[in-house]
Amino acid sequence: MKSLVPLFLLTISSQLHANESYVGIDYFASRLDIANEESKPAMVNLRLGTELMRKIYIEGQYMVSSSDDDVYRLNMDFDESYGAYLRFESLSEGDLTTEISLGYASTDIATKGPEDTYTGTDTVVGFAWGIALNQRIQWVEGLKLRAGYQSLYDKDDIKIDGFTLGFSYSF
């Protein structure tokens, strides 16, 4: 029985060995909806991931603001956002693949207004998910064009979501 344990661990570890790692950058055209008032600040998303098992990845994301937007007399902006996801990619071996990401994100919302209004930074943390299409670019090995939808937060009359467009490079 004891001799089967190392064999089992070796088998499991070979399945968990990462076959592919990637880095990506996306433009995130976000929408911030607070109590039915909408603002559209934008972010740049840096993604880094590695394959855990066949077509299952662990991914970290870091987003920073690239533009802000106003709602009435308040300026709304995303300072930064962190996220950790499990990403499931379709088993297709073709040039076009789909993916679903499930995870957790923390996003800082900065609000600036006149003296008589609220000014400060609030952090929202919770379940996040996304869906995307990846198109392999033929003339550069490992490069993919990525387009998707991502939801960073949706609770307590606050919704942060939007569309992404960018590239990823596998190595």
Side-chain angles (χ1 to χ4, degrees):
M1 181 67 175
K2 287 185 181 181
S3 63
L4 292 178
V5 172
L7 181 61
F8 175 72
L9 291 176
L10 181 62
T11 304
I12 293 296
S13 67
S14 68
Q15 293 296 317
L16 293 177
H17 177 38
N19 295 323
E20 179 182 327
S21 294
Y22 63 91
V23 63
I25 189 162
D26 299 331
Y27 175 76
F28 184 48
S30 60
R31 179 182 62 172
L32 171 62
D33 186 353
I34 299 178
N36 295 324
E37 297 299 328
E38 192 173 288
S39 174
K40 294 183 179 181
M43 300 177 82
V44 174
N45 184 9
L46 178 63
R47 300 177 294 110
L48 182 65
T50 190
E51 189 175 26
L52 295 175
M53 291 186 278
R54 186 169 185 262
K55 302 292 186 176
I56 300 175
Y57 299 81
I58 187 164
E59 179 177 278
Q61 293 186 4
Y62 176 69
M63 296 186 196
V64 293
S65 176
S66 63
S67 70
D68 56 7
D69 195 14
D70 295 331
V71 174
Y72 297 115
R73 296 179 357 183
L74 298 176
N75 179 267
M76 308 297 282
D77 194 10
F78 293 120
D79 277 348
E80 59 187 5
S81 179
Y82 300 94
Y85 299 87
L86 271 178
R87 186 171 72 84
F88 304 93
E89 192 173 284
S90 65
L91 296 176
S92 169
E93 297 296 332
D95 290 344
L96 183 66
T97 58
T98 58
E99 67 178 62
I100 296 175
S101 300
L102 304 172
Y104 188 77
S106 172
T107 306
D108 294 337
I109 304 168
T111 306
K112 295 176 189 154
E115 290 182 27
D116 58 338
T117 61
Y118 176 75
T119 296
T121 301
D122 297 306
T123 302
V124 293
V125 179
F127 175 72
W129 64 276
I131 187 167
L133 294 172
N134 294 291
Q135 174 66 46
R136 186 170 52 160
I137 297 176
Q138 296 290 331
W139 57 90
V140 180
E141 184 67 30
L143 189 63
K144 295 178 184 175
L145 176 65
R146 180 177 187 271
Y149 170 83
Q150 191 164 356
S151 174
L152 296 178
Y153 190 81
D154 189 4
K155 160 168 95 166
D156 304 327
D157 276 340
I158 299 173
K159 184 175 184 175
I160 303 170
D161 65 349
F163 294 95
T164 64
L165 182 62
F167 293 95
S168 64
Y169 179 74
S170 300
F171 47 92

